[in-house]
Amino acid sequence: MTNAPSSEYVQSMARGLAVIKAFDVSHQRQTLSDVARRTDLTRATARRFLLTLVELGYVRTDGSLFWLSPRVLDLGYSYLSSMSLPELAEPHLDVLSKQVSESSSVSVLDGDDIVYVARVAVSRIMTVSITIGTRFPAAATSMGRVLLAGLPDADLDDFLRRVPLPRLTSRSIHTPDALRIELDRVRREGCCVVDQELEVGLRSMAAPIRDGAGAVVAAVNISTQAARYSLEEVWDQLVPTVRSAAEAISRDLARTERRRSHVG
């Protein structure tokens, strides 16, 4: 945490969540010492949290190693099931992917990252697997830049001042000034194309999904191999389809919000 915790801060809950987050694709099975080291907790404290999570069914153990159980997915599903966006987006992603024979996704902004909440995969084009819940740095992705461009000025200023911009490839935008110029363009044009900045050989394009009030709440994108489409073809053929999908999802989202408000 960058700021001092408030008087309402529950340290034990924060530690429990830190233990869960200590497990990832590179650390799927860990010893007690591994978890203690990754969470900066004492072995005794880490042990209590791990055994509590075992009793609750979120973690499994063979006595020496610990690993997450499928029940952890319930935590993410609680969020997804409380929002209509993934359900609304899925049929539009199906249509979009069939139109262009490419993978399509929807993500939301969570802190400094984007998180995938819906996806239709056509082919594996990245060296990392993308599933619901996958996170990427917002600054390096087309969906992230659409979402950042939709932030209030003060929040965007804070992001550009605070967040490091690593050079993931030789094409990556890696200075705050350059990123601000790009985000200003994204705001004006209502779309974003990222050319091999997250991964060499990968091009992606995104457009904003807006709620009934016009606020940017999510983004939809297509990812493709650079060899399949030139940049000119991306702008002429793929960007219009992404924009159409974003507009269709936005209309459905606005209608859903209106129905909810009438019922309420």
Side-chain angles (χ1 to χ4, degrees):
M1 295 181 61
T2 57
N3 299 320
S6 71
S7 60
E8 306 298 326
Y9 183 80
V10 181
Q11 187 180 59
S12 59
M13 178 176 287
R15 288 177 170 178
L17 291 173
V19 168
I20 291 175
K21 291 171 65 177
F23 295 88
D24 56 29
V25 67
S26 301
H27 306 86
Q28 296 182 22
R29 291 176 177 249
Q30 300 182 71
T31 64
L32 170 59
S33 296
D34 293 334
V35 174
R37 183 171 57 254
R38 285 177 55 78
T39 56
D40 199 27
L41 298 173
T42 66
R43 281 174 50 88
T45 300
R47 180 176 181 274
R48 288 198 300 272
F49 281 109
L50 282 168
L51 294 181
T52 298
L53 291 168
V54 168
E55 288 195 32
L56 292 173
Y58 293 112
V59 169
R60 292 176 180 169
T61 183
D62 61 5
S64 59
L65 293 175
F66 296 85
W67 61 93
L68 297 181
S69 80
R71 178 169 288 187
V72 169
L73 295 174
D74 291 346
L75 301 176
Y77 181 75
S78 296
Y79 166 71
L80 291 176
S81 62
S82 70
M83 61 186 297
S84 59
L85 181 57
E87 183 179 4
L88 290 174
E90 187 171 347
H92 296 287
L93 294 183
D94 283 333
V95 171
L96 178 58
S97 289
K98 288 175 182 176
Q99 283 179 324
V100 298
S101 298
E102 300 288 356
S103 299
S104 60
S105 309
V106 168
S107 72
V108 296
L109 191 63
D110 182 30
D112 302 334
D113 300 330
I114 61 166
V115 180
Y116 283 70
V117 297
R119 178 165 171 81
V120 172
V122 171
S123 60
R124 183 183 177 91
I125 63 174
M126 298 185 68
T127 58
V128 294
S129 176
I130 299 177
T131 59
I132 304 304
T134 294
R135 306 174 73 96
F136 285 117
T141 62
S142 60
M143 288 191 286
R145 290 180 184 174
V146 163
L147 293 164
L148 292 173
L151 290 176
D153 289 340
D155 292 342
L156 179 57
D157 289 344
D158 175 69
F159 179 92
L160 293 172
R161 181 176 60 253
R162 178 178 49 79
V163 178
L165 304 174
R167 197 164 195 168
L168 302 176
T169 76
S170 61
R171 297 173 178 262
S172 298
I173 291 176
H174 60 283
T175 66
D177 288 344
L179 182 57
R180 185 185 293 277
I181 291 171
E182 173 63 10
L183 295 178
D184 286 343
R185 186 197 62 75
V186 172
R187 280 182 174 178
R188 292 193 306 270
E189 298 184 358
C191 65
C192 178
V193 173
V194 169
D195 182 20
Q196 304 181 77
E197 294 187 47
L198 179 65
E199 181 177 304
V200 174
L202 176 72
R203 287 184 174 135
S204 65
M205 55 250 48
I209 296 171
R210 301 178 183 274
D211 63 14
V216 176
V217 295
V220 58
N221 93 326
I222 297 171
S223 298
T224 186
Q225 293 171 332
R228 282 177 57 84
Y229 292 90
S230 67
L231 274 177
E232 183 179 1
E233 290 170 332
V234 163
W235 281 102
D236 291 345
Q237 301 176 31
L238 299 185
V239 168
T241 61
V242 174
R243 279 182 168 145
S244 294
E247 291 166 0
I249 297 171
S250 298
R251 287 194 297 269
D252 282 357
L253 185 60
R255 282 194 291 266
T256 299
E257 291 174 344
R258 288 195 296 269
R259 285 198 298 268
R260 287 177 175 174
S261 65
H262 292 156
V263 171

